[in-house]
Amino acid sequence: MLITFEGIDGCGKTTQIGLLSALMKEIGKDVLTLREPGGTEFSEKIRDLLLHSKDRLTPQSELFLFESARTDLVEKVVKPSLEKGTIVILDRFYDSTTAYQGYGRLIDLSFVKASNEIAISGVKPDVTFFLDIPLEISYERSNHRELDKIEKSGDSFFHRVIEGYKQIAKEEPERIVSIDGAKTKEEIFEIIKEKVKCKLQNEELKIINPN
Ligand code: T5A
């Protein structure tokens, strides 16, 4: 099972992933948590370039770097782990590219979608949690630390990213669970826990009764 978390910077993904991964381990599940960009030696190098390099990147070179990091992670880690039956929890996946490079950087959406398809080679999340917060909360939560390159992209960029996420969630209501990220950590985790419980039960039913 592949579970992904999405939302703007500071929306609380890492916090919820920590809680979910601990719970999964507690109930005896084999679970792997990964982040994008990152998760392999090569992808971590790309992450460093994307978030910290002093070079100016064009939107297109940024897009291709995210996709390169993704394809490395998918082929080397995500696919083999899913094949073994491991529950993979990903902090960001291709919806981030649609929201940030498509809606945010204004790269043609059909081009972004095609690039995503190449990078994921058929690997799709079973469920995606979109933690929806307004920009003010994102800024409040990050005001104690230094911002990376993408976080310095400005208000109008982030307003477009937020709208992009809302649109993506509207287009795929079966896969994407939108959650008000301004709720408390505990309230958010309750919603996530219930949804994952349902998914696990359905998966077990499928194993018992494949038809
Ligand atoms: N990117 C990424 C693209 O542009 N395109 C892509 O294709 C991909 C994959 C990655 C950057 O790259 C961009 C998006 C990003 O800008 P990153 O390191 O993954 O950067 O950074 P973020 O995703 O921004 O991660 P953050 O760590 O900043 O945010 P999280 O993980 O969403 O938030 P979290 O859990 O660390 O929480 C932030 C703070 O808020 C508190 C936490 O305690 C913490 O202090 N918090 C709450 N406070 C109150 N109520 C709650 N419910 C809270 N939940 C958490």
Side-chain angles (χ1 to χ4, degrees):
M1 180 186 294
L2 176 60
I3 304 171
T4 62
F5 283 76
E6 294 285 351
I8 58 164
D9 304 72
C11 67
K13 296 174 283 84
T14 312
T15 305
Q16 295 301 325
I17 289 170
L19 294 170
L20 183 60
S21 149
L23 178 71
M24 292 291 110
K25 284 181 187 152
E26 218 175 281
I27 62 171
K29 299 284 178 193
D30 179 20
V31 60
L32 177 67
T33 66
L34 299 161
R35 66 175 180 182
E36 270 216 16
T40 64
E41 212 180 316
F42 176 71
S43 303
E44 288 293 334
K45 284 182 191 157
I46 296 182
R47 179 186 179 89
D48 197 40
L49 273 177
L50 278 161
L51 302 186
H52 305 296
S53 133
K54 298 231 169 356
D55 298 316
R56 190 184 70 82
L57 294 179
T58 65
Q60 287 76 8
S61 48
E62 188 180 84
L63 169 72
F64 291 133
L65 284 173
F66 276 115
E67 301 294 14
S68 297
R70 175 162 304 132
T71 192
D72 199 63
L73 179 70
V74 165
E75 295 300 334
K76 290 181 182 162
V77 188
V78 176
K79 267 190 188 172
S81 303
L82 292 173
E83 277 158 17
K84 273 196 328 198
T86 301
I87 296 173
V88 178
I89 306 178
L90 260 181
D91 191 336
R92 299 192 178 281
F93 199 29
Y94 60 88
D95 294 318
S96 285
T97 314
T98 309
Y100 280 75
Q101 281 63 53
Y103 286 92
R105 299 277 193 242
L106 301 170
I107 301 178
D108 185 88
L109 286 175
S110 58
F111 187 70
V112 173
K113 195 171 170 215
S115 312
N116 282 340
E117 293 292 337
I118 294 169
I120 63 175
S121 68
V123 175
K124 294 259 167 84
D126 295 285
V127 60
T128 296
F129 295 104
F130 162 43
L131 305 184
D132 187 9
I133 54 163
L135 192 52
E136 302 73 58
I137 294 190
S138 168
Y139 286 155
E140 262 168 42
R141 289 184 188 170
S142 60
N143 71 4
H144 57 283
R145 60 176 176 79
E146 203 184 319
L147 299 182
D148 65 44
K149 209 166 160 158
I150 291 179
E151 286 170 323
K152 289 178 187 156
S153 300
D155 287 8
S156 45
F157 170 82
F158 276 104
H159 284 302
R160 289 197 298 275
V161 174
I162 293 171
E163 284 316 306
Y165 267 127
K166 289 187 201 285
Q167 184 58 34
I168 297 166
K170 214 156 89 187
E171 284 165 13
E172 285 191 73
E174 283 295 304
R175 169 173 70 88
I176 303 177
V177 181
S178 298
I179 303 174
D180 176 1
K183 287 178 187 281
T184 66
K185 294 174 188 177
E186 294 74 19
E187 286 169 329
I188 295 171
F189 189 54
E190 269 311 303
I191 301 169
I192 292 171
K193 207 163 73 180
E194 280 312 304
K195 185 69 188 183
V196 172
K197 212 163 89 186
C198 274
K199 285 276 166 196
L200 286 173
Q201 278 164 354
N202 287 345
E203 198 158 87
E204 274 159 28
L205 281 177
K206 264 193 234 157
I207 294 168
I208 298 165
N209 184 5
N211 303 313

